[in-house]
Amino acid sequence: MDQDIIELLMSRDQKAIELTAQRYEKLLLYIISSILGDRRELVDECVNDVYLKLWTGGQAYDFRKASFRTYLKAIARNTALNSLRRARRLEELEGGEWEKDTLLDAYIDYSQDVEKRMVYQEEIEVMERVLHKLKKKDQALILRRYFYLESVKQIAAAMKMSENAVNSRLSRLRGKLKRSYEREVQR
């Protein structure tokens, strides 16, 4: 479906970014807003950063590994997390308070150390195998909460569940994931 964008991107044609914006701007805004919240100026800046990263790094990506859409979502998520980290540091320097419930603390940047990056990649592969064994609804819950960093309230509304049901299910899923992950690692 996105072969036209990929071809334009590979040939360094500016239309690649225009087409990407036409097809995926709403998705990018959704992902980035779920991480950055109502910081509109920061969200807009982050969307532009995603386009810039796509333009500067898209030619090097192997689109046989994952779809263009998946690649774009990963760029958006990582860019938003980095932006949130910078905003958090600035606010802390200015004496502001941040939500202690943020999942950003669980995010670790392994890009600086090759050995850590390799271990991290192995951990991702194991986690992907574990996630693929879950039911689709459970996969969606986990991804929405821990990948897209949606709030329990957002998840409940989107999946037509009560907040208590979401919290309860996530709690059971964390235990199930932990046990499955440990079994996979021991193999």
Side-chain angles (χ1 to χ4, degrees):
M1 178 181 146
D2 294 317
Q3 192 59 36
D4 53 344
I5 295 175
I6 294 168
E7 288 172 8
L8 290 169
L9 193 58
M10 295 304 170
S11 65
R12 302 292 291 167
D13 190 327
Q14 189 73 29
K15 289 180 186 172
I17 301 302
E18 293 170 21
L19 274 176
T20 301
Q22 287 173 3
R23 289 185 194 162
Y24 293 108
E25 183 129 348
K26 286 182 182 178
L27 175 65
L28 293 175
L29 285 169
Y30 176 77
I31 292 168
I32 293 167
S33 295
S34 70
I35 294 170
L36 296 177
D38 60 358
R39 298 171 184 85
R40 188 70 206 160
E41 186 176 308
L42 202 53
V43 169
D44 292 340
E45 180 182 318
C46 198
V47 169
N48 288 329
D49 287 347
V50 169
Y51 294 138
L52 180 62
K53 287 179 182 182
L54 178 64
W55 182 251
T56 58
Q59 295 78 19
Y61 184 73
D62 183 359
F63 289 100
R64 294 171 295 188
K65 291 182 178 180
S67 70
F68 177 77
R69 180 183 172 101
T70 300
Y71 176 63
L72 195 60
K73 290 187 323 188
I75 293 173
R77 177 184 179 269
N78 293 335
T79 302
L81 285 169
N82 289 334
S83 183
L84 181 60
R85 186 183 311 132
R86 279 190 306 274
R88 182 179 184 184
R89 270 187 253 144
L90 280 174
E91 193 164 310
E92 285 173 355
L93 288 172
E94 294 170 358
E97 287 294 317
W98 265 83
E99 295 177 31
K100 298 299 179 194
D101 184 40
T102 183
L103 294 173
L104 182 62
D105 293 331
Y107 176 76
I108 302 170
D109 183 6
Y110 287 104
S111 64
Q112 301 303 316
D113 185 323
V114 174
E115 183 179 334
K116 286 181 182 178
R117 206 169 46 217
M118 290 173 61
V119 169
Y120 182 61
Q121 185 61 39
E122 289 174 14
E123 290 172 348
I124 288 173
E125 290 169 8
V126 170
M127 187 54 76
E128 284 176 346
R129 288 194 304 268
V130 169
L131 282 172
H132 284 297
K133 293 178 183 176
L134 294 176
K135 295 176 186 174
K136 293 291 182 195
K137 187 171 185 174
D138 291 341
Q139 286 178 11
L141 276 167
I142 294 294
L143 290 174
R144 283 177 176 268
R145 183 67 178 135
Y146 301 109
F147 187 80
Y148 295 117
L149 304 176
E150 291 182 9
S151 69
V152 170
K153 186 176 184 175
Q154 289 172 312
I155 296 169
M159 298 186 76
K160 297 179 176 43
M161 298 171 67
S162 71
E163 289 181 36
N164 286 339
V166 170
N167 280 323
S168 176
R169 194 139 180 193
L170 283 170
S171 177
R172 285 193 305 272
L173 284 170
R174 281 192 302 272
K176 184 177 183 177
L177 284 172
K178 182 180 179 189
R179 290 186 299 277
S180 296
Y181 181 84
E182 288 169 354
R183 281 194 302 269
E184 282 287 323
V185 169
Q186 291 175 355
R187 287 185 182 179

